[in-house]
């Protein structure tokens, strides 16, 4: 294990199990909705919208457990503010995916923290008149919430601690760790003194 890792908060096996549970619930809810509206399994009704870059590992595991016709449209969101560990607002880089009108849209992110990111994306998606919008996150830092948004599906509620791994980064690193872990204080020394402005979340 990397020496910068302080401790593992959620191990890979626990993550895999929980991702399976979320996928099962999400698939069941979507199928129920499609049946209710009389859509056939062959119709393209579901669009997953992963928020780059933090959601890559989570969404890769999630989609392979969703046995239904779906497409994906990526969005990239940047955080404002000059601090690395704080999100003080968000803006979209590039455009929303095309063709969200009338679709069941599932927003996927690694973590719901202040809520700035998902609140922004959800508002923009809603302007496209989708049939429904759901929010799926692996981690939920409830106590940090600033914006009025809650996840429809969340893997784990975690305390206000900065974590990396399974897609989550610190300054662009550690996304490849299979577990979710905290970093040693010396690995994050100097955070808050700039450098994070405009970084993709
Ligand atoms: P927001 O504050 O809800 O807008 O969170 C935006 C982004 O901040 C998330 O998509 C993450 O990429 C990032 N983030 C929030 N908390 C953490 C953390 O503990 N570790 C790594 N990234 C985080
Ligand atoms: Mg990030």
């Amino acid at each position: 294990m990397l020496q910068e890792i302080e401790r593992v908060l959620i191990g890979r096996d626990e993550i895999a199990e929980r991702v399976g549970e979320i996928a099962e619930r999400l698939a069941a809810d979507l199928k129920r909705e499609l049946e209710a509206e009389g859509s056939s399994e062959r119709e393209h009704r579901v669009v997953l919208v992963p928020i780059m870059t933090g959601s890559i590992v989570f969404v890769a595991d999630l989609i392979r457990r969703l046995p239904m016709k779906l497409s994906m449209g990526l969005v990239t969101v940047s955080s404002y503010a000059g601090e690395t560990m704080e999100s003080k607002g968000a803006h979209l880089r590039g455009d929303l995916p095309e063709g969200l009108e009338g679709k069941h849209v599932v927003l996927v992110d690694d973590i719901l923290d202040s809520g700035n990111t998902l609140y922004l994306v959800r508002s923009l998606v809603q302007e496209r008149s989708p049939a429904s919008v759901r929010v799926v996150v692996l981690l939920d830092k409830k106590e940090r919430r600033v914006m009025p948004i809650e996840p429809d599906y969340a893997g784990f509620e975690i305390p206000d601690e900065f974590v990396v791994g399974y897609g989550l980064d610190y300054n662009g690193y550690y996304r490849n760790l299979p577990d979710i872990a905290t970093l040693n204080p010396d690995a994050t020394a100097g955070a808050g003194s700039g450098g994070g402005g405009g970084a993709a979340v």
Side-chain angles (χ1 to χ4, degrees), residues 7-49:
R7 69 174 210 287
V8 170
L9 207 66
I10 311 168
R12 62 198 78 178
D13 295 341
E14 205 182 338
I15 297 172
E17 198 182 321
R18 192 70 182 125
V19 172
E21 289 169 4
I22 292 175
E24 222 169 274
R25 269 185 53 215
L26 177 61
D29 291 350
L30 287 167
K31 278 190 177 156
R32 207 175 304 118
E33 198 149 14
L34 298 187
E35 275 170 26
E37 68 186 19
S39 297
S40 82
E41 298 237 327
R42 291 198 205 162
E43 282 176 70
H44 170 213
R45 304 285 298 123
V46 176
V47 183
L48 255 72
V49 177

Side-chain angles (χ1 to χ4, degrees), residues 6 58 68 77 90 96 100 118 123 132 156 169 182 186 197:
E6 186 181 57
F58 179 38
M68 59 182 55
V77 175
L96 278 186
L100 299 180
L118 276 161
S123 309
S132 67
F156 304 91
D169 74 301
T182 57
D186 58 316

Side-chain angles (χ1 to χ4, degrees), residues 53-54 110-111 162 167-170 172 175 200-201:
T53 306
D110 51 359
I111 188 166
F162 196 84
L168 291 120
D169 74 301
Y170 172 68
R175 294 194 200 274
V201 294

Side-chain angles (χ1 to χ4, degrees), residues 30-150:
L30 287 167
K31 278 190 177 156
R32 207 175 304 118
E33 198 149 14
L34 298 187
E35 275 170 26
E37 68 186 19
S39 297
S40 82
E41 298 237 327
R42 291 198 205 162
E43 282 176 70
H44 170 213
R45 304 285 298 123
V46 176
V47 183
L48 255 72
V49 177
I51 295 163
M52 293 293 104
T53 306
S55 68
I56 53 166
V57 182
F58 179 38
V59 81
D61 282 347
L62 189 68
I63 54 169
R64 285 178 288 173
R65 289 164 174 266
L66 294 175
M68 59 182 55
K69 186 162 186 173
L70 59 82
S71 68
M72 285 170 70
L74 314 183
V75 296
T76 301
V77 175
S78 298
S79 289
Y80 288 121
E83 290 171 71
T84 312
M85 291 173 134
E86 296 276 325
S87 163
K88 294 252 172 65
H91 67 285
L92 199 70
R93 270 204 221 168
D95 299 319
L96 278 186
E98 292 296 318
L100 299 180
E101 295 76 10
K103 298 294 194 307
H104 297 286
V105 176
V106 180
L107 307 178
V108 184
D109 206 357
D110 51 359
I111 188 166
L112 190 53
D113 187 32
S114 70
N116 282 312
T117 302
L118 276 161
Y119 188 84
L120 169 77
V121 175
R122 190 181 63 176
S123 309
L124 295 171
V125 166
Q126 267 158 352
E127 288 172 15
R128 298 282 176 91
S129 309
S132 67
V133 185
R134 289 178 165 78
V135 173
V136 184
V137 294
L138 184 70
L139 305 176
D140 183 6
K141 271 190 201 170
K142 271 207 192 313
E143 56 191 278
R144 298 250 312 164
R145 202 81 80 252
V146 174
M147 301 302 279
I149 181 164
E150 293 303 324

